[in-house]
Amino acid sequence: MKTPTNLLFLLTLFATLLLSCAKKNASDEGQKMNVFIDDLMSEMTLEEKLGQLNLPASGDIITGAGSNNNTADKIKEGKVGGLFNIKSVEKIRAAQQIAVEQSRLKIPLIFGMDVIHGYQTLFPIPLGMSCSWDMELMEKSARIAAQEASADGICWTFSPMVDISRDPRWGRVSEGSGEDPYLGSQIAQAMVKGYQGDDLLKNNTIMACVKHFALYGAPEAGRDYNTVDMSRNRMYNEYLPPYLAAVDAGVGSVMASFNEIDGIPATGNKWLLTDLLREDWKFNGFVVTDYTGISEMTEHGMGNLQEVSALALRAGVDMDMVADGLLTTLKQSLDEGKVTQQEIDQACRRVLEAKYKLGLFEDPYRYCDENRAKTEIFTPENRQVAREIAAQTFVLLKNEDQLLPLQDKQKIALIGPLADNRENMPGTWSVAGDFAKSVSLLDGLKNALGTEANILYAMGTNIVADSLLDSRISIFGKPTKWDKRSQKEMIAEAVAVARKSDVVIAAVGEAAEMSGEASSRSDINLPENQKELLEALLATGKPVVMVLFTGRPLTISWEKANVPAILNVWFAGTEAGNSIADVLLGKVNPSGKLSATFPQNVGQIPIFYNHKNTGRPLAEGKWFSKFRSNYLDVPNEPLFPFGFGLSYTTFDYKNLKLSESTLTKDGKLTVSVELTNSGNYDGAEVVQLYLRDMVGTVTRPVKELKGFQKVFLKKGETRTIEFTLTEKDLRFYNSELKFVSEPGDFKVFVGTNSANVLEAPFTLN
Ligand code: NOJ
């Protein structure tokens, strides 16, 4: 009986030794880095130090012979710390060569890019990815993105974007993970791990940059770049957790956001960038501004370029994206005593540290391997993973009479402006993608069914009817394929095609650039001309499946009431058409769950599941009561709640049980539920656990997600799903912004979405 105890002791000893060795190695490494950077900085002039703080956009000017252009000259003079959105090993190598061969101190450049949802192999847009609720897949997608980007010379990505948003008018909801701080935090960590791997020195890992710090997802009226104003209580409890999660995961850099916080733009906000980020959260990487974030502070009314540049540096900015403010004004500010040498040195040191951590001093061409560029990008293996992941992100919103999956040998009419449209499949922010190589839905169905198959096609209508709007959403090489024929003519053709079919698939929705940056909308209905098309198709009496392409929740109340089946596919990336075909044809059973609430109309916005109760809540199941918190003209309920998503099978929840009725400070509570796949298909379900703190010193939300598990069950299978809760799960930021739990009554909810749950009470002692 003695052996196991001894063994345990030895194992613990061994683990402790390993840990202390690892710590020692890390601190030795840190020491080495400090000595290296001290030496280097002792040789740097003030101008060279300021050069490290400068991040211009590359344009496309660096070529082998590009040394005559302006950026190349600046690199030679040591006035550039890095470049971004420059693509290809050839160009990156050429720029790096100028830095390490022609500048005085030969300091390598850092190369960044917006690798947001994949590099050339594009995954679904981040909002779509978040609906997979699958952290392994999220990490895998970031790993592949890093692999491909690093094979093409990139060592730094401006991702993950973790801005919580509850306003689908804001176009950039497409780039985030939806409305929930818990889910958002899990995703932030998975993405950072995926990009950075276990060792930044490897040539296939890249540095992540969490953005946009902070609160960028809460602009007034959903208008991009607009003012944000928020209580500390809301910030700490609801909006800041995903940024903190990324910092805890070791993210190498942080991007300051465009918006103001408490009246001071984030880029010049010392409370945000230093007190919170560095002192409270212990962030030790570097802070970069967003594009012209510094010079934009003059428009915010914070002073001229010199003043705002000094403000940014003092606040904690280390690198200036595009504004040229730090490079051109800090010398004067130093002379005038507006900034200190120490502040400049600190920023320069942080940029140099990032380069050191990436191994660029050891080998500036670490990421410039032409062979990797040829063999590791857009590979069949990566595309296969993209296809599998995309199918996990689709959300089945409605499926009357089991219209889906499609039956064998049905004659399909594929109709709609997004049916035969490769360019719009990847969605917003797909900088490195080759859009012509993405798979449209028409391609995907043909690939699955063979070219001989019964697929009839008609475009039916344009994405939008207004040509001016069309020109605004046809940029970045993603034309909508505007058809000059009249709406009447196009619908007539579509109806004729529909009449010849057994089932109509209507590929409708937004163009890729109707969401994303600077793509806010005040009306988030399906464009009226597309609704007309749907009406005409429904009038044929044929069953209609709506495949919805969108970068945001849309107000599709009419469609929900009238179209029998709706599959929301977001923008699914390179393999979109293949993955959609996999799901439509039943090869994959959909399991995506919404990470953002769909409102019934824009008047309900902001709408989110984890709201407060108020002093006058509306009784459950009611539409309206006078003097209660509600509307005269629309119920409080959303169109589709957070966490919602159907499957081709059905899942039953039974027997919610708690191991104890009381949780103690150091104890554990096991929550279990019986889950049965009661339908006719094997399938995956995301089991969701929510909590409510019934009484607090500050008001608490009616529900908060605190756990989830994606489980796969064969048809007919029953499984007991267990979650463990501890006191830590009950903590929140109180009125003094302390992260605490408060003894008292709680409720736990488990279910298939935020609105459909079983519940049980317990107490924290
Ligand atoms: C502006 C965007 O806000 C940010 O997300 C992006 O990383 C930069 N431009 C660089 O392209």
Side-chain angles (χ1 to χ4, degrees):
M1 290 306 285
K2 269 195 159 169
T3 330
T5 323
N6 287 344
L7 193 67
L8 203 69
F9 174 75
L10 282 175
L11 279 176
T12 319
L13 194 70
F14 186 59
T16 319
L17 271 173
L18 272 183
L19 195 72
S20 73
C21 279
K23 274 193 185 154
K24 187 167 175 317
N25 283 346
S27 81
D28 286 354
E29 258 315 301
Q31 261 319 91
K32 247 168 72 189
M33 176 171 82
N34 288 343
V35 171
F36 177 86
I37 292 176
D38 285 344
D39 280 357
L40 179 59
M41 284 184 63
S42 69
E43 295 192 26
M44 291 173 83
T45 63
L46 176 63
E47 285 73 17
E48 282 164 338
K49 287 177 180 169
L50 298 182
Q52 288 305 307
L53 317 189
N54 192 29
L55 179 71
S58 70
D60 214 7
I61 43 177
I62 307 289
T63 65
S67 43
N68 289 332
N69 64 48
N70 190 15
T71 304
D73 288 343
K74 278 188 166 171
I75 298 173
K76 275 188 225 163
E77 290 160 26
K79 290 183 175 165
V80 177
L83 288 174
F84 77 97
N85 288 356
I86 171 170
K87 187 167 173 275
S88 86
V89 168
E90 190 199 351
K91 288 180 187 165
I92 288 176
R93 182 182 280 282
Q96 192 68 299
Q97 213 160 0
I98 301 173
V100 299
E101 288 178 16
Q102 299 182 46
S103 75
R104 191 179 76 92
L105 288 174
K106 312 190 179 340
I107 300 175
L109 301 171
I110 183 170
F111 294 93
M113 187 184 268
D114 288 284
V115 180
I116 306 296
H117 50 106
Y119 186 70
Q120 265 189 47
T121 303
L122 290 157
F123 299 96
I125 55 168
L127 183 61
M129 287 296 297
S130 67
C131 294
S132 73
W133 295 56
D134 187 325
M135 298 310 116
E136 252 174 61
L137 290 188
M138 301 283 317
E139 187 177 332
K140 198 166 178 183
S141 76
R143 186 82 291 282
I144 290 177
Q147 180 97 23
E148 289 197 2
S150 61
D152 221 9
I154 300 297
C155 54
W156 179 33
T157 176
F158 304 134
S159 173
M161 190 280 222
V162 304
D163 306 319
I164 295 291
S165 184
R166 297 157 165 183
D167 193 333
R169 293 171 298 182
W170 188 54
R172 300 196 83 171
V173 284
S174 55
E175 292 177 54
S177 296
E179 71 193 35
D180 184 65
Y182 180 83
L183 179 62
S185 299
Q186 307 282 315
I187 293 175
Q189 300 215 332
M191 297 296 286
V192 171
K193 270 209 247 159
Y195 289 129
Q196 299 194 162
D198 52 6
D199 183 0
L200 264 185
L201 279 177
K202 288 189 182 151
N203 71 351
N204 66 359
T205 56
I206 61 180
M207 188 174 277
C209 179
V210 65
K211 69 186 189 186
H212 306 81
F213 193 55
L215 320 181
Y216 181 46
E220 286 173 356
R223 209 179 68 218
D224 208 1
Y225 318 124
N226 206 4
T227 307
V228 172
D229 196 0
M230 185 183 292
S231 71
R232 290 280 157 111
N233 177 299
R234 174 161 273 179
M235 256 184 230
Y236 274 72
N237 282 305
E238 300 164 32
Y239 280 75
L240 293 177
Y243 307 104
L244 173 57
V247 169
D248 286 344
V251 73
S253 63
V254 169
M255 186 185 291
S257 57
F258 287 128
N259 54 282
E260 64 176 66
I261 290 171
D262 286 336
I264 301 175
T267 312
N269 194 315
K270 180 169 174 297
W271 169 77
L272 182 77
L273 299 183
T274 298
D275 302 354
L276 181 69
L277 181 64
R278 295 205 181 266
E279 277 156 33
D280 292 356
W281 291 2
K282 312 287 175 226
F283 172 66
N284 66 4
F286 76 106
V287 173
V288 64
T289 72
D290 202 344
Y291 199 105
T292 59
I294 290 183
S295 49
E296 285 174 27
M297 285 200 284
T298 61
E299 296 282 6
H300 276 284
M302 305 298 291
N304 62 27
L305 186 64
Q306 186 197 344
E307 286 159 340
V308 295
S309 302
L311 183 68
L313 183 80
R314 290 196 308 262
V317 162
D318 304 306
M319 200 173 214
D320 169 358
M321 189 189 282
V322 179
D324 261 6
L326 300 187
L327 179 75
T328 59
T329 69
L330 284 187
K331 183 175 179 327
Q332 189 182 345
S333 291
L334 183 65
D335 293 344
E336 292 169 3
K338 291 180 177 145
V339 298
T340 63
Q341 183 65 50
Q342 196 207 345
E343 283 160 343
I344 294 173
D345 285 352
Q346 192 172 52
C348 174
R349 173 177 292 275
R350 289 180 186 145
V351 173
L352 295 174
E353 280 176 0
K355 295 180 179 184
Y356 187 96
K357 289 177 195 161
L358 285 163
L360 289 167
F361 286 106
E362 222 173 79
D363 177 7
Y365 303 110
R366 186 179 288 267
Y367 307 90
C368 292
D369 178 343
E370 284 78 2
N371 193 39
R372 282 190 64 206
K374 278 190 213 122
T375 55
E376 292 183 23
I377 299 175
F378 207 61
T379 61
E381 296 76 35
N382 290 356
R383 293 183 63 176
Q384 180 58 28
V385 177
R387 176 176 180 162
E388 284 162 18
I389 290 184
Q392 301 299 314
T393 67
F394 303 156
V395 185
L396 183 64
L397 295 175
K398 186 176 173 188
N399 194 18
E400 213 169 76
D401 301 330
Q402 302 265 305
L403 190 49
L404 287 175
L406 299 177
Q407 303 306 310
D408 274 354
K409 310 246 169 344
Q410 276 179 313
K411 194 183 272 184
I412 297 171
L414 176 62
I415 294 171
L418 287 142
D420 182 21
N421 191 325
R422 293 184 184 150
E423 290 80 355
N424 282 267
M425 293 301 101
T428 190
W429 275 124
S430 26
V431 181
D434 180 348
F435 311 135
K437 286 192 191 150
S438 20
V439 182
S440 72
L441 181 50
L442 183 58
D443 298 329
L445 284 171
K446 282 188 182 159
N447 292 343
L449 299 171
T451 34
E452 303 301 302
N454 274 326
I455 306 169
L456 308 164
Y457 164 75
M459 182 165 166
T461 187
N462 283 307
I463 292 181
V464 292
D466 170 358
S467 59
L468 180 65
L469 181 55
D470 186 78
S471 66
R472 289 184 187 147
I473 61 173
S474 277
I475 48 172
F476 301 137
K478 294 174 199 150
T480 60
K481 293 202 163 177
W482 177 264
D483 191 318
K484 290 209 183 74
R485 287 178 295 165
S486 73
Q487 166 87 344
K488 210 168 149 202
E489 208 179 328
M490 289 171 79
I491 288 192
E493 181 192 56
V495 166
V497 163
R499 287 218 170 96
K500 288 188 211 144
S501 71
D502 301 319
V503 60
V504 176
I505 298 182
V508 295
E510 294 192 312
E513 294 303 332
M514 278 168 86
S515 55
E517 188 173 349
S519 291
S520 295
R521 292 178 65 192
S522 67
D523 169 352
I524 53 170
N525 286 332
L526 197 66
E528 199 50 39
N529 56 310
Q530 294 196 50
K531 195 175 138 199
E532 266 174 32
L533 170 67
L534 284 176
E535 278 168 337
L537 296 174
L538 289 166
T540 62
K542 300 287 179 182
V544 177
V545 175
M546 170 168 149
V547 175
L548 181 61
F549 295 80
T550 178
R552 53 156 62 83
L554 294 176
T555 45
I556 46 167
S557 301
W558 179 88
E559 292 77 0
K560 181 186 177 190
N562 293 285
V563 184
I566 305 176
L567 180 70
N568 191 336
V569 298
W570 310 109
F571 289 103
T574 308
E575 291 294 317
N578 287 332
S579 329
I580 301 170
D582 288 343
V583 171
L584 291 177
L585 300 169
K587 208 170 133 195
V588 179
N589 186 354
S591 59
K593 300 274 191 172
L594 296 178
S595 60
T597 304
F598 272 47
Q600 302 206 37
N601 63 23
V602 280
Q604 287 187 318
I605 297 171
I607 183 166
F608 46 97
Y609 84 94
N610 48 351
H611 57 82
K612 302 290 182 71
N613 201 39
T614 82
R616 294 190 174 192
L618 183 67
E620 217 171 296
K622 282 221 166 190
W623 170 336
F624 177 80
S625 303
K626 194 68 184 167
F627 304 120
R628 294 272 119 189
S629 179
N630 50 211
Y631 301 98
L632 286 170
D633 56 356
V634 68
N636 284 356
E637 276 75 46
L639 191 64
F640 297 108
F642 174 83
F644 179 83
L646 303 171
S647 161
Y648 292 156
T649 191
T650 45
F651 291 99
D652 297 339
Y653 286 74
K654 266 204 315 245
N655 289 335
L656 176 67
K657 283 195 199 132
L658 307 190
S659 57
E660 336 278 331
S661 58
T662 301
L663 175 63
T664 56
K665 254 296 194 275
D666 303 312
K668 277 185 185 155
L669 184 69
T670 307
V671 181
S672 63
V673 73
E674 239 176 74
L675 180 71
T676 303
N677 179 344
S678 52
N680 289 323
Y681 298 83
D682 301 343
E685 164 76 339
V686 179
V687 181
Q688 302 161 40
L689 180 144
Y690 299 87
L691 286 182
R692 177 167 178 186
D693 188 345
M694 301 307 290
V695 179
T697 53
V698 294
T699 61
R700 308 289 299 120
V702 295
K703 259 179 209 140
E704 288 177 286
L705 184 72
K706 288 291 174 183
F708 57 87
Q709 288 178 41
K710 191 165 182 174
V711 287
F712 183 86
L713 259 59
K714 293 251 173 228
K715 66 177 169 184
E717 188 182 344
T718 295
R719 200 181 301 167
T720 302
I721 310 297
E722 284 189 358
F723 293 90
T724 306
L725 291 176
T726 67
E727 174 272 332
K728 280 203 179 106
D729 297 308
L730 314 186
R731 292 186 192 172
F732 63 97
Y733 291 92
N734 68 12
S735 58
E736 285 156 29
L737 301 179
K738 298 230 164 71
F739 197 50
V740 297
S741 62
E742 291 175 348
D745 292 340
F746 288 79
K747 265 188 192 167
V748 59
F749 311 87
V750 179
T752 183
N753 66 59
S754 62
N756 184 355
V757 284
L758 301 172
E759 64 173 79
F762 72 93
T763 311
L764 174 69
N765 249 350

